[in-house]
Amino acid sequence: MTYQVYIVEHDALSESQSAALRELFDREYRAEHGEWNPDRPYGYSPADVHAIVFRGAIAVAHVGFQRRLIRVGAREVAVAGTGGVLVHPDSRSDGLGRLVMSHAQHAMRDDDRVSFGYLGCREEVVPFYERTGWSRVNAVERHVSMIDSNETVTSSAGPILVFAADSGADADRWPEGDIDLRGTPW
């Protein structure tokens, strides 16, 4: 099977790429969360960059990330807040998650505005992320509520993972301290 992988800045998404992403996300989430909005996907922060795997005209895998300066303890850290990690149900277990993630990570490494990839996830998917080079960090995370932008949410419950994106960064050098995402999560 032939796949095409694209790394696309959000503002450069073509109409057909956007429509294919809408179909991919709506198939998975529409019944529970409504229609996908690329500028505010289900209340999460939108991606600046999309890594998309296509089979023909069908989007079969996606990883997005948004560049943002967050606070970790007393330091500011430039991250690629990662979200929208999704593989089409008919293509799961075909290695497409690993393929699209590796391309997203390559885009992060090539971006001199990013020191680390950053994501929050469910416990059951942590092994996938760890196999693709992400490392768990333990911290309290603060972010703007996805429902009420005047509210701050504080949590230490969900897994947080980081990926060293620049040559001077490694997961062992992730700073200690509470994390302020300075916006909604990804």
Side-chain angles (χ1 to χ4, degrees):
M1 198 157 298
T2 304
Y3 297 103
Q4 294 291 323
V5 181
Y6 297 92
I7 304 297
V8 185
E9 290 283 333
H10 182 72
D11 294 339
L13 280 173
S14 70
E15 284 185 35
S16 63
Q17 289 169 331
S18 188
L21 286 176
R22 181 178 315 285
E23 189 173 315
L24 175 66
F25 280 93
D26 281 350
R27 177 185 185 110
E28 186 78 13
Y29 299 117
R30 186 175 186 157
E32 187 175 343
H33 299 289
E35 218 174 89
W36 181 71
N37 175 347
D39 296 317
R40 186 128 168 89
Y42 312 114
Y44 291 95
S45 293
D48 292 329
V49 177
H50 300 271
I52 313 166
V53 177
F54 279 88
R55 184 181 62 236
I58 299 170
V60 292
H62 174 268
V63 172
F65 67 84
Q66 181 190 71
R67 300 172 195 97
R68 187 186 299 167
L69 199 59
I70 66 172
R71 179 160 297 282
V72 181
R75 287 190 42 206
E76 290 190 329
V77 179
V79 299
T82 304
V85 180
L86 181 60
V87 175
H88 190 286
D90 296 341
S91 298
R92 292 182 183 153
S93 300
D94 290 347
L96 292 182
R98 183 180 297 263
L99 174 69
V100 72
M101 182 58 74
S102 70
H103 282 273
Q105 290 168 310
H106 185 77
M108 290 175 202
R109 283 188 203 102
D110 285 348
D111 192 325
D112 61 0
R113 296 166 286 183
V114 172
S115 295
F116 288 92
Y118 181 99
L119 63 83
C121 64
R122 299 179 322 275
E123 190 65 47
E124 59 267 22
V125 295
V126 168
F128 164 77
Y129 291 114
E130 290 177 335
R131 283 191 306 272
T132 58
W134 295 79
S135 300
R136 187 188 291 246
V137 296
N138 294 307
V140 173
E141 179 188 87
R142 269 187 309 286
H143 61 82
V144 172
S145 168
M146 295 165 38
I147 299 166
D148 180 354
S149 62
N150 295 315
E151 194 176 313
T152 300
V153 176
T154 302
S155 173
S156 59
I160 299 169
L161 291 104
V162 297
F163 167 79
D166 74 24
S167 59
D170 61 49
D172 293 336
R173 291 182 32 189
W174 178 261
E176 292 289 323
D178 292 351
I179 299 167
D180 184 349
L181 295 185
R182 295 179 169 168
T184 53
W186 303 277

